[in-house]
């Protein structure tokens, strides 16, 4: 017999308005699961008192040091009995999703069944901020059972605590024409190589890898990861003239000028007379069929993706594809939110050797972080403290002018050893040639 629903006037407010509400979902689950009835009671109390009533603890599964987020209620009566006993233990299992987050519908059904049959609350977040499949609401006694069931299906725990965290790659080449490298492969290689740091937390703080196939950066790698690998290209934007003309026919000159040409941040796109321009090593041209042509000066393109997004299929990433690597993105913490800083402006990512280089770099960056970061300090904060130049030197990465867009305004670089840096850069270019 299901528990009687608790009055939740504050939560009910969240069902008003045009958007679907999580409260409606909770109520649906609560019809069949007493844990959700008590969870709503606890949450309603929090809304009334404007205070959270969860505390952490230590809960895990055999062989793993992380991956479970323990939550115990603090709402107790005078005899220390929980006010909402069914939700007194409400732990979360972080499960690592497949690269690119591809599932079959059968697998999704199987996951839902497994969660309900092993004592779960029924609540699943696809996917949490770190990319995990979050199975939320499990009692201590059921944690091992639930994990074993998911493990039998081929899933592994993700990261929690001061550890390598669950990774994310965008949907990528499987469904997106902008993809510039095999994101899923890169994710699997890097994560499999560093899995020990995910399951046995031993780092100063959390560390995240994320992989986006193009500069649209659909997994927000630049803001949300300590090491972001983002696809890019270094030759000309490719043009499919017929599709550019289709866009032009459907939208007209006004949209082309206002939505494409004038939105280019570096004014790399211009409208010219078709007979006055030819495509070259650095210039892409799309004739519009009315005597005009769209002309892209690729040397000035900063790969912002705007024109490619507005004319999908008509303008596409170039053929010489690879990745840019950035480090130090993170949320607020000690020094405010930071975006990743470029440390490798361009690197090919096609052959097995290329992927191995990425793998090696990722391990070196984790090792450097493990040895040099202070407790509770993210990579971005460590770099801010020790200086980017020292970080690059520690990793033996040559300083490259392409790392920064405004060298004179960038506080990371000092001018007093500039000549020396220029010499180093010239040597690096010669050895790379
Ligand atoms: Fe301009 Fe390049 Fe952005 Fe296109 S991708 S709008 S050419 S900067």
């Amino acid at each position: 017999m299901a528990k009687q629903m608790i009055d939740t006037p504050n939560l009910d407010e969240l069902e008003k308005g045009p958007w679907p509400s999580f409260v409606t979902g909770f109520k649906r689950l609560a019809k069949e699961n007493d844990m959700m009835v008590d969870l709503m009671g606890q949450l309603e109390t929090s809304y009334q008192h404007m205070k959270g009533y969860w505390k952490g603890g230590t809960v895990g599964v055999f062989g793993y040091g992380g991956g479970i987020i323990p939550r115990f209620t603090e709402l107790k009566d005078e005899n220390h009995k929980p006010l909402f006993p069914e939700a007194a233990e409400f732990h979360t299992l972080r499960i690592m999703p497949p690269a690119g987050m591809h599932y079959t519908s059968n697998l999704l059904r199987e996951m839902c069944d497994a969660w309900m049959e092993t004592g779960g609350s029924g609540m699943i977040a696809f996917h949490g901020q770190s990319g995990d499949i979050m199975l939320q609401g499990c009692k201590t006694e059921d944690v091992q059972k639930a994990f074993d069931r998911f493990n039998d299906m081929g899933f592994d725990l993700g990261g929690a605590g001061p550890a390598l965290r669950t990774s994310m790659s965008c949907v990528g080449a499987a469904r997106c024409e902008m993809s510039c490298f095999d994101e899923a492969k890169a994710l699997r290689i890097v994560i499999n190589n560093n899995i020990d740091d995910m399951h046995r937390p031993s780092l100063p703080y959390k560390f995240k890898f994320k992989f986006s196939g193009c500069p649209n950066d659909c997994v927000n790698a630049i803001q949300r990861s300590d090491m972001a690998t983002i696809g890019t290209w270094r030759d000309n934007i490719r043009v499919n003239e017929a599709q550019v003309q289709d866009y032009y026919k459907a939208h007209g000159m006004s949209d082309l000028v206002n939505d494409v040409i004038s939105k280019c941040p570096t004014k790399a796109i211009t409208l010219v007379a078709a007979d006055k321009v030819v495509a070259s090593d650095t210039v892409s041209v799309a004739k519009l069929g009315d005597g005009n042509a769209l002309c892209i000066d690729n040397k000035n393109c900063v790969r912002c993706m705007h024109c490619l997004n507005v004319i999908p299929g008509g303008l596409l990433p170039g053929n010489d594809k690879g990745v840019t690597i950035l480090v130090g993105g993170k949320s607020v913490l000690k020094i405010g939110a930071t975006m990743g800083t470029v440390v490798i402006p361009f690197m090919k990512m096609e052959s097995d050797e290329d992927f191995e280089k990425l793998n090696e770099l990722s391990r070196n960056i984790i090792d450097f972080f493990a040895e040099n970061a202070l407790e509770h300090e993210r990579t971005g904060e460590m770099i801010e403290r020790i200086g980017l130049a020292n970080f690059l030197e520690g990793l033996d990465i040559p300083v490259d002018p392409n790392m920064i867009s405004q060298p004179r305004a960038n506080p990371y670089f000092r001018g007093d050893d500039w000549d020396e840096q220029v010499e180093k850069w010239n040597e690096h270019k010669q050895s790379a040639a």
Side-chain angles (χ1 to χ4, degrees):
M1 179 83 179
K3 258 186 142 175
Q4 203 179 345
M5 286 293 282
I6 296 164
D7 279 345
T8 54
N10 283 282
L11 290 181
D12 296 348
E13 285 295 311
L14 299 176
E15 289 188 286
K16 296 177 181 163
W19 307 108
S21 167
F22 71 93
V23 175
T24 312
F26 280 13
K27 286 182 178 171
R28 185 166 49 77
L29 289 171
K31 283 187 193 147
E32 293 169 14
N33 193 330
D34 291 349
M35 205 178 199
M36 292 304 291
V37 177
D38 276 4
L39 175 81
M40 291 186 70
Q42 163 126 358
L43 203 54
E44 175 67 22
T45 313
S46 281
Y47 274 74
Q48 281 168 10
H49 300 172
M50 292 196 279
K51 188 169 175 242
Y53 288 106
W54 296 113
K55 64 174 179 179
T58 311
V59 179
V61 296
F62 288 118
Y64 289 72
I68 312 288
I69 305 172
R71 286 293 175 264
F72 295 93
T73 186
E74 285 184 316
L75 283 174
K76 307 235 171 114
D77 63 17
E78 61 277 11
N79 298 318
H80 303 291
K81 293 244 163 61
L83 292 184
F84 300 103
E86 290 300 323
E89 294 170 354
F90 206 84
H91 313 312
T92 293
L93 273 79
R94 285 193 156 166
I95 301 282
M96 235 190 306
M101 297 167 193
H102 299 279
Y103 303 89
T104 61
S105 39
N106 268 347
L107 182 62
L108 292 172
R109 279 190 202 100
E110 223 182 296
M111 289 169 82
C112 294
D113 289 346
W115 183 221
M116 294 307 283
E117 287 162 16
T118 52
S121 69
M123 202 200 306
I124 306 179
F126 260 91
H127 300 83
Q129 280 286 303
S130 292
D132 304 86
I133 303 164
M134 307 274 278
L135 304 175
Q136 292 168 305
C138 190
K139 294 183 177 162
T140 309
E141 64 189 26
D142 293 329
V143 163
Q144 184 73 47
K145 212 175 5 165
F147 167 69
D148 288 344
R149 183 78 179 266
F150 277 82
N151 201 217
D152 285 346
M153 287 161 64
F155 286 101
D156 199 356
L157 276 188
L164 174 61
R165 293 300 186 85
T166 309
S167 189
M168 273 173 113
S169 65
C170 63
V171 68
R175 296 197 56 197
C176 178
E177 67 271 30
M178 305 296 186
S179 169
C180 294
F181 73 108
D182 188 339
E183 317 80 8
K185 180 173 173 178
L187 182 149
R188 293 313 316 164
I189 288 176
V190 170
I191 287 303
N192 285 352
N193 188 45
N194 294 296
I195 201 86
D196 207 38
D197 278 315
M198 185 178 289
H199 292 150
R200 286 154 199 90
S202 58
L203 298 176
Y205 198 23
K206 58 180 118 165
F207 190 100
K208 299 179 183 177
F209 291 112
K210 294 198 193 297
F211 304 84
S212 278
C214 80
N216 275 328
D217 193 8
C218 291
V219 295
N220 298 331
I222 194 168
Q223 291 107 341
R224 289 171 48 193
S225 66
D226 298 271
M227 176 173 158
T229 305
I230 301 178
T232 188
W233 67 96
R234 59 181 171 182
D235 56 347
N236 288 354
I237 287 178
R238 273 181 299 142
V239 170
N240 179 329
E241 208 163 61
Q243 290 204 36
V244 176
Q245 288 179 5
D246 284 349
Y247 169 89
Y248 183 52
K249 275 185 211 134
H251 293 261
M253 184 57 84
S254 167
D255 278 4
L256 186 72
V257 170
N258 293 319
D259 288 351
V260 183
I261 297 172
S262 64
K263 294 269 163 58
C264 175
T266 52
K267 306 282 171 257
I269 314 181
T270 45
L271 192 67
V272 292
D275 57 357
K276 294 266 178 348
V277 66
V278 279
S280 74
D281 280 357
T282 57
V283 175
S284 309
V285 175
K287 294 194 170 131
L288 299 174
D290 65 349
N292 291 309
L294 207 56
C295 171
I296 304 175
D297 170 13
N298 289 280
K299 281 271 177 210
N300 279 317
C301 165
V302 288
R303 282 49 172 174
C304 81
M305 295 299 286
H306 181 78
C307 62
L308 288 85
N309 292 337
V310 180
I311 314 182
L315 301 177
L316 288 161
N319 288 316
D320 190 5
K321 295 171 180 167
V323 298
T324 296
I325 294 173
L326 306 95
V327 292
K330 52 153 203 65
S331 188
V332 186
L333 300 174
K334 296 184 184 69
I335 58 168
T338 50
M339 302 260 246
T341 299
V342 173
V343 293
I344 307 281
F346 186 87
M347 177 172 167
K348 288 299 272 184
M349 201 48 59
E350 283 167 3
S351 65
D352 288 347
E353 277 156 31
D354 297 333
F355 282 93
E356 199 35 53
K357 263 198 227 161
L358 178 74
N359 193 15
E360 207 176 299
L361 179 69
S362 68
R363 189 62 236 170
N364 290 346
I365 290 181
I366 285 211
D367 283 346
F368 188 90
F369 172 68
E371 278 165 28
N372 294 285
L374 303 176
E375 285 294 304
H376 222 262
E377 185 178 59
R378 289 287 292 270
T379 315
E381 292 158 342
M382 174 191 71
I383 293 173
E384 176 89 2
R385 179 171 54 79
I386 66 173
L388 183 63
N390 289 327
F391 176 74
L392 294 172
E393 202 172 309
L395 285 162
D396 207 15
I397 298 174
V399 174
D400 181 331
N402 292 306
M403 287 172 183
I404 42 178
S405 57
Q406 294 175 304
R408 279 160 210 221
N410 192 304
Y412 283 129
F413 288 93
R414 293 166 51 155
D416 50 3
D417 67 345
W418 195 245
D419 292 343
E420 204 185 303
Q421 292 299 338
V422 170
E423 254 173 50
K424 267 203 214 163
W425 168 245
N426 287 337
E427 274 167 28
H428 164 67
K429 287 298 265 186
Q430 272 166 7
S431 64

